[in-house]
Amino acid sequence: MPELFTNDWATNYKELWNSNDGIAKELGQSNFNSVVAFGIEGEDDPRVVLTISNGQIITAGTPNGELINWDLRASNENWMALVAKPPGLMKLGLAYTSRKLKFKKGDYAVMIKDPRLSTAFVKCFALMGKAVN
């Protein structure tokens, strides 16, 4: 069982994201392209970086000098809580306002106002837990 934000986890996450049950298709319809990072609060570098093109994760793994658009951070404990019981939009909003989930890069308000992005954002947490198992 891979730990959260390892290369094994990133590989599993990429496969889940790009699968029929993932979110690649709906983000692809929006022509979503971005570089998204996840990491632990207080660490300089993210633990994993996802390069997304037309909704599909193209690369997933440790940082390799990519220009990151979104960098989400939380304590390990808060990540595990968000992954163990995937949150809805309200719980994510509470995590953000209480500073349990931080955007080191990217704008939460912009993302949450776009229904295509906010729906995918919620779904990405459910996939995170599945990638650990």
Side-chain angles (χ1 to χ4, degrees):
M1 175 170 93
E3 291 180 42
L4 197 60
F5 306 144
T6 64
N7 279 327
D8 286 341
W9 176 88
T11 299
N12 289 346
Y13 191 68
K14 176 183 172 185
E15 290 173 11
L16 289 166
W17 178 290
N18 292 338
S19 74
N20 289 335
D21 295 330
I23 57 180
K25 185 176 180 178
E26 66 188 67
L27 285 175
Q29 293 169 347
S30 301
N31 297 318
F32 182 77
N33 300 295
S34 196
V35 179
V36 179
F38 299 111
I40 304 300
E41 184 180 4
E43 294 181 357
D44 290 335
D45 297 321
R47 296 219 175 158
V48 68
V49 175
L50 313 171
T51 302
I52 304 164
S53 177
N54 240 4
Q56 296 272 328
I57 293 178
I58 305 303
T59 62
T62 54
N64 194 25
E66 300 90 345
L67 181 60
I68 296 169
N69 305 109
W70 300 88
D71 188 348
L72 284 74
R73 303 297 179 101
S75 69
N76 194 53
E77 179 181 285
N78 286 335
W79 275 123
M80 295 313 290
L82 289 168
V83 168
K85 188 175 180 188
L89 206 48
M90 185 175 287
K91 187 174 176 183
L92 282 172
L94 289 172
Y96 174 73
T97 57
S98 66
R99 311 272 303 145
K100 291 181 179 179
L101 177 65
K102 297 178 182 176
F103 282 63
K104 189 172 179 179
K105 269 196 157 177
D107 188 337
Y108 175 80
V110 168
M111 183 272 307
I112 212 68
K113 289 177 185 175
D114 184 335
R116 298 168 300 183
L117 293 180
S118 61
T119 300
F121 185 57
V122 169
K123 289 181 180 180
C124 84
F125 284 90
L127 293 178
M128 282 182 183
K130 290 179 182 179
V132 172
N133 296 325

